[in-house]
Amino acid sequence: MSPTILLLLALGLGLAGWLAARARAWTFRKASPDGRLASLPSYHAWYVALWIILPVLVFVGAWSAIAPGLVTQSVLASPAADQLPAFGFQRQTILNEARAVATGASQAVFNPLAKEFVEPYRQALSFYNWIGIAATLVIAFLGGAWSFLRLKPDFAARTRVERIVMAILLGASLVAILTTIGIFVSLIFETLRFFGMVNPLDFLFGTHWGPDPMSNPNNPDSSRYGAIPLFWGTLFIGAIIAMIVAIPLGLMSAVYLTQYANPRLRAWIKPTLEILAGVPTVVYGYFAALTIAPAIRDFAISLGASNPSSESALAAGLVMGVMIIPFVSSMADDSIAAVPQAMRDGSLAMGATTNETIRRVLVPAALPGIVAGVMLAISRAIGETMIVVMAASTAANLSANPLDSMTTVTVQIVAMLTGEGSFDHPATLSAFALGFVLFMVTLGLNFIALRVVKRFREAYE
Amino acid sequence: MSEHIAPTRTPEFEARLKKRYAAERRFRRLGLAAIVFSVAVLVYLLGTMTLNGIGGFQRAELEVPIDFTQAGISADPATMASDGAVQSLQGQGLPEVVQFFAEQSLGDEAAEQLGAQAWRDVADAIAADPSILDRQETFWLPASASLASGYAGEGSAEMQALAQQLDEAGKIDKNFDTGFFARSDATNPQQAGIWGALKGSFLTMIVTLLLAFPIGVLAALYLEEYAPKNRWTDLIELSINNLAAVPSIIFGLLGLAVFLTLFPNLRSAPVIGGMTLALMTMPVIVIAGRNAIKAVPPSIRDGALAIGASPVQVVFHHVLPLALPGILTGTIIGMARALGETAPLLMIGMRAFVASPPDSFTSPATVLPMQIFLWSDEIDRGFVERTSAAIIVLLLFLLLMNGLAIYLRNKFEKKW
């Protein structure tokens, strides 16, 4: 049974409970001598409805994760299962085909063997569907009956409802922690599996990157997993080329907008820069690959390069820099605006020109904020995926020439996980190790940036 | 009258002043140049996409008059109204009929360049209006990809010559392709459309919104209104701020390692994509929500408390309605970001070739940015135009969403 139908069932039952409980509360109110209850009838109604809906929601969530496994197990327990090939991938394909027919998603099977499983699948699916519906009904009934029986004229339904609401609010905010833990655990878990096959020192300090997803997974060649070229490529594209573009342009835009531009120009330019920030990265990537990269190759040829790559670090870095400009400029804007007006006025009163005031007073005073903004910009640039996937290459290259092709951590994560390799292969698992490094580095940069900002803000208070 | 020079205004001083003023002008121009450069890049980007993309909304079509009275095809209204209409027409030899009339009017060589699926357009037209079988009708049918590129002045020399010949006869033309918005992905640029990706995007966004909005708003309410100041609250706050800064591809790794392990059958389904993007969007909504809630003046809370409302009633009856416009603005911006996001979806397998639009939250789907990414890998010139056209559609949606957010912000902006 699809979870959607179970959820609709739960909502319907909840509504029924809501109406019944409210009617019950109204009868209490009529019967009571002074026409007063400890809580309003709608709170009684909500109390019962929540007691029906919440347990069912929890059950449906768990059930939709468990049920497919149970179905597969009961299919595998059928006599036909002995004929299944032991090999994982083929076995899975046959089962998937049979399941697709049984659920009505496809008309017929290609593999004759799969036909034998359609009927067991159909039976198992309908069996577990009924179990799901029955369990939903039982849970809803139990929750509803229990809460309904507690309704009394002096029952403090509002307090109970509010307690449940608070629990829901707390639960919602815990999702953030759960996500963080989820990221951490899934990355660590797979990374440790990777490090069980490849020596972490080889990974962190090796200079040759060339995993072979088709090699024997049990005996990986550790020397092919040196990630230094990837780290260098990421740093060169994201932290050097992109920042050479983004920092001066972003900073100068912010300075011009806050100190020179008249309000009407500012009212137009700010949203325009925001558009630049809102363009999806896949569009920037396409722009880089289609327009900028060929232009740079032609430029390299005119410089006399013999065999320039069409996927240069420069193309990806330039476009990424443009993407980051609005980010840097808005961070710089904020921190310049935070400098007290008195400092600016004082400098101007001493006869300094505007540009001297900016360079000698405003920028130094705003420097911690600007530095923090730059760090956030770097962390965003090294985590950026689509631009480099589309405009940088997959060839790991340890070079300082911006016209060379280079690859980055994110490109390799995509390349390793969208390839054909199996999930237990070190080449696939290396993506998680790369993701872990990326996660830690961006987290570190953000953490430092926030610290710097906090310190700086205290200076003028 | 001799010029009076004050003691400080020595010639050296004048020279220095001149230099300082020049520096000032230079600096100012540099600032202006920085802005002009950024705006120029934006204009250039939008310009190239539009110029390329205009061609993507059109396709090269060949004129084929078909005289159905000679064709011997019958179509009873009941069959035509059912799903089997196209199969029935194919069984009656419609493809051959179309091919025959194409040869009649265009010549053998050009008729070969009629797209392989061209007869489907005719079949659709018959299914929509069976009465055209009683008369002669002129159709504009898609040309093959190679003829289309020949018509654009590229590709092989023979195709270019053929296209020119047809052009002189007025039998080939570029027409606005309404089917671009109605079809799905295809291997041939002449047959490709964005409806499948668009629908996938809608379904994914619905899941994202349904998960991220309630969780984000409730979390923001808790943190801003009720949370005690302790280590746990600090931990929650820290993790929300960190999540907002985590690279999007990491969320894809999480989706791959957690969601696809829990639900292995739902690979590349909108529901998994939506869940992954929701985790990414939720922190954005929490942060925007907290700012909006913070902006509601305490006197409103005090007033409500003073007449006997409980803390929960204060928040749900008074604070939340007042903060909602601000929260909505933040939500729209977060959703716009999710709509343009590609990298995490790449990780959970939403990059498959999907030739039919998804019919449910659990069927395989692709999304608009992913379609752009997939098409960008095709070398065919026709796909370059299609990609740019899809980008225009995506950017229009994003502009609409951001415009709505700005409108909401201006309309509901309150100063207390």
Side-chain angles (χ1 to χ4, degrees):
Chain A
M1 185 56 51
S2 81
T4 328
I5 292 177
L6 288 184
L7 289 180
L8 287 179
L9 192 65
L11 286 182
L13 291 171
L15 183 66
W18 193 89
L19 290 171
R22 204 178 58 151
R24 178 96 175 134
W26 274 107
T27 59
F28 288 148
R29 186 179 244 185
K30 287 219 184 79
S32 73
D34 55 354
R36 286 178 70 90
L37 294 176
S39 305
L40 290 174
S42 71
Y43 278 106
H44 287 88
W46 277 114
Y47 179 68
V48 173
L50 286 173
W51 262 103
I52 295 176
I53 293 174
L54 291 180
V56 171
L57 277 185
V58 172
F59 169 73
V60 170
W63 183 249
S64 50
I66 299 170
L70 292 176
V71 169
T72 316
Q73 262 182 16
S74 82
V75 169
L76 290 181
S78 75
D82 297 338
Q83 309 164 28
L84 270 178
F87 179 55
F89 183 68
Q90 211 175 341
R91 186 185 171 102
Q92 203 53 46
T93 322
I94 291 175
L95 289 177
N96 282 348
E97 256 185 58
R99 196 173 49 85
V101 176
T103 53
S106 75
Q107 304 292 326
V109 293
F110 295 106
N111 196 318
L113 193 53
K115 203 171 273 172
E116 306 221 7
F117 290 93
V118 173
E119 211 33 53
Y121 249 117
R122 218 168 256 159
Q123 277 171 6
L125 279 172
S126 83
F127 177 67
Y128 282 104
N129 278 348
W130 284 115
I131 288 195
I133 293 180
T136 306
L137 289 174
V138 167
I139 290 172
F141 180 76
L142 285 180
W146 186 77
S147 54
F148 194 81
L149 290 178
R150 296 188 71 186
L151 302 186
K152 278 188 209 95
D154 59 348
F155 178 64
R158 196 190 78 187
T159 327
R160 310 277 170 158
V161 169
E162 292 189 345
R163 210 175 286 163
I164 300 177
V165 169
M166 289 304 277
I168 294 175
L169 290 182
L170 181 63
S173 53
L174 287 181
V175 170
I177 290 196
L178 279 182
T179 312
T180 312
I181 294 177
I183 289 178
F184 208 74
V185 169
S186 57
L187 288 182
I188 279 244
F189 187 68
E190 308 287 333
T191 305
L192 287 181
R193 270 173 75 195
F194 173 68
F195 283 154
M197 304 178 198
V198 173
N199 186 347
L201 293 178
D202 286 338
F203 173 72
L204 287 175
F205 301 108
T207 54
H208 173 66
W209 177 265
D212 177 13
M214 293 300 139
S215 69
N216 178 7
N218 297 322
N219 188 20
D221 180 1
S222 223
S223 69
R224 297 176 73 100
Y225 289 92
I228 288 284
L230 309 186
F231 298 149
W232 166 247
T234 309
L235 216 63
F236 193 55
I237 293 177
I240 298 179
I241 301 179
M243 289 307 130
I244 287 176
V245 177
I247 293 174
L249 286 172
L251 216 52
M252 285 310 289
S253 309
V255 163
Y256 189 84
L257 282 181
T258 52
Q259 307 300 323
Y260 289 114
N262 68 18
R264 278 182 53 200
L265 183 69
R266 195 179 146 89
W268 277 101
I269 296 295
K270 270 217 117 168
T272 313
L273 286 183
E274 275 168 22
I275 295 180
L276 207 56
V279 173
T281 53
V282 69
V283 175
Y284 277 118
Y286 186 63
F287 180 62
L290 186 81
T291 317
I292 304 298
I296 285 178
R297 194 189 46 200
D298 296 345
F299 173 70
I301 290 173
S302 74
L303 280 186
S306 56
N307 192 15
S309 162
S310 65
E311 296 169 318
S312 60
L314 191 57
L318 284 181
V319 174
M320 199 191 278
V322 169
M323 184 191 88
I324 304 277
I325 290 175
F327 188 75
V328 174
S329 97
S330 77
M331 294 291 290
D333 199 330
D334 288 348
S335 52
I336 290 177
V339 176
Q341 182 68 21
M343 288 173 72
R344 188 166 169 262
D345 292 346
S347 166
L348 290 173
M350 295 294 288
T353 60
T354 316
N355 111 66
E356 285 159 353
T357 307
I358 292 166
R359 282 188 302 149
R360 307 261 168 88
V361 179
L362 291 187
V363 170
L367 202 57
I370 293 173
V371 169
V374 167
M375 288 178 115
L376 291 180
I378 293 177
S379 96
R380 179 175 273 210
I382 64 177
E384 168 50 39
T385 312
M386 294 321 287
I387 294 179
V388 284
V389 165
M390 292 165 86
S393 78
T394 50
N397 220 336
L398 200 56
S399 145
N401 178 0
L403 297 173
D404 271 348
S405 64
M406 249 172 244
T407 192
T408 69
V409 169
T410 48
V411 171
Q412 288 304 315
I413 293 177
V414 171
M416 292 299 134
L417 284 177
T418 53
E420 302 292 314
S422 92
F423 225 79
D424 300 320
H425 197 281
T428 315
L429 292 176
S430 71
F432 286 93
L434 290 173
F436 187 65
V437 173
L438 183 67
F439 179 69
M440 293 316 282
V441 169
T442 50
L443 218 58
L445 280 171
N446 284 304
F447 192 69
I448 297 171
L450 288 181
R451 270 290 155 90
V452 172
V453 168
K454 234 178 197 168
R455 269 229 167 127
F456 156 69
R457 287 235 166 105
E458 283 165 359
Y460 295 110
E461 273 168 6
Chain B
M1 186 176 125
S2 74
E3 203 169 324
H4 174 77
I5 296 178
T8 48
R9 295 188 84 100
T10 57
E12 294 82 25
F13 176 90
E14 292 290 347
R16 270 206 310 276
L17 195 62
K18 223 171 162 182
K19 235 172 96 185
R20 287 172 62 205
Y21 282 163
E24 168 72 21
R25 275 195 303 276
R26 269 203 311 277
F27 190 74
R28 194 181 168 141
R29 279 194 205 121
L30 225 60
L32 192 61
I35 287 177
V36 169
F37 175 82
S38 312
V39 175
V41 171
L42 182 66
V43 169
Y44 182 60
L45 191 151
L46 296 180
T48 20
M49 292 307 155
T50 319
L51 281 181
N52 268 323
I54 284 172
F57 290 113
Q58 304 174 317
R59 65 174 173 181
E61 294 181 341
L62 292 165
E63 185 185 32
V64 181
I66 300 180
D67 185 1
F68 287 109
T69 52
Q70 297 175 24
I73 285 178
S74 68
D76 65 291
T79 323
M80 288 304 112
S82 75
D83 289 341
V86 175
Q87 275 95 327
S88 148
L89 291 169
Q90 186 180 16
Q92 294 182 55
L94 184 66
E96 289 77 20
V97 171
V98 172
Q99 201 60 34
F100 172 77
F101 281 103
E103 279 164 22
Q104 293 267 300
S105 75
L106 302 169
D108 288 354
E109 199 189 347
E112 263 176 40
Q113 295 306 321
L114 202 61
Q117 302 291 316
W119 64 273
R120 284 185 188 271
D121 288 10
V122 182
D124 288 341
I126 296 174
D129 176 18
S131 72
I132 59 173
L133 287 179
D134 306 328
R135 55 175 192 263
Q136 180 171 349
E137 184 82 22
T138 302
F139 288 93
W140 283 93
L141 299 177
S144 71
S146 41
L147 182 63
S149 64
Y151 186 53
E154 287 151 15
S156 69
E158 358 171 2
M159 279 301 148
Q160 289 195 33
L162 181 61
Q164 186 148 24
Q165 191 190 325
L166 287 166
D167 192 24
E168 275 157 17
K171 290 189 188 298
I172 189 169
D173 203 1
K174 279 213 137 190
N175 293 329
F176 182 75
D177 179 19
T178 49
F180 182 63
F181 299 102
R183 292 183 308 253
S184 291
D185 198 3
T187 46
N188 175 350
Q190 289 280 81
Q191 290 295 331
I194 56 167
W195 173 237
L198 214 52
K199 196 172 173 194
S201 269
F202 282 138
L203 293 177
T204 309
M205 285 301 111
I206 289 173
V207 176
T208 306
L209 187 66
L210 284 182
L211 286 174
F213 183 68
I215 295 179
V217 173
L218 294 179
L221 282 178
Y222 181 76
L223 289 176
E224 205 54 48
E225 295 287 332
Y226 303 115
K229 268 272 154 237
N230 61 22
R231 195 175 291 175
W232 281 101
T233 319
D234 285 347
L235 195 65
I236 295 176
E237 237 168 278
L238 189 71
S239 53
I240 285 177
N241 288 334
N242 278 336
L243 282 184
V246 167
S248 60
I249 194 169
I250 302 286
F251 287 97
L253 290 176
L254 172 72
L256 177 65
V258 175
F259 295 152
L260 283 188
T261 315
L262 282 178
F263 310 101
N265 297 329
L266 295 180
R267 203 175 169 77
S268 69
V271 61
I272 296 290
M275 280 156 75
T276 309
L277 291 181
L279 294 182
M280 211 186 84
T281 316
M282 195 261 301
V284 180
I285 297 180
V286 174
I287 291 169
R290 290 188 69 175
N291 288 334
I293 294 167
K294 214 181 275 174
V296 176
S299 57
I300 288 177
R301 296 179 185 87
D302 296 343
L305 282 171
I307 56 166
S310 74
V312 172
Q313 284 171 333
V314 169
V315 165
F316 282 90
H317 296 179
H318 301 276
V319 176
L320 187 57
L322 288 172
L324 212 51
I327 299 179
L328 281 183
T329 315
T331 306
I332 296 172
I333 290 171
M335 292 300 288
R337 226 169 81 182
L339 178 64
E341 195 55 73
T342 325
L345 302 179
L346 207 56
M347 296 288 92
I348 54 167
M350 290 188 87
R351 65 197 294 277
F353 175 82
V354 183
S356 57
D359 10 272
S360 72
F361 289 110
T362 50
S363 49
T366 189
V367 294
L368 201 47
M370 190 60 73
Q371 189 73 76
I372 292 168
F373 175 63
L374 291 175
W375 282 352
S376 73
D377 263 356
E378 307 270 353
I379 34 172
D380 197 316
R381 168 77 197 161
F383 269 115
V384 174
E385 292 185 334
R386 292 296 196 191
T387 313
S388 302
I391 285 177
I392 292 175
V393 174
L394 179 64
L395 287 179
L396 279 180
F397 269 109
L398 290 179
L399 270 182
L400 273 180
M401 286 173 85
N402 283 317
L404 185 68
I406 292 171
Y407 171 77
L408 276 178
R409 193 188 304 166
N410 292 343
K411 186 170 157 84
F412 292 103
E413 197 168 48
K414 272 195 208 111
K415 289 261 190 283
W416 274 294

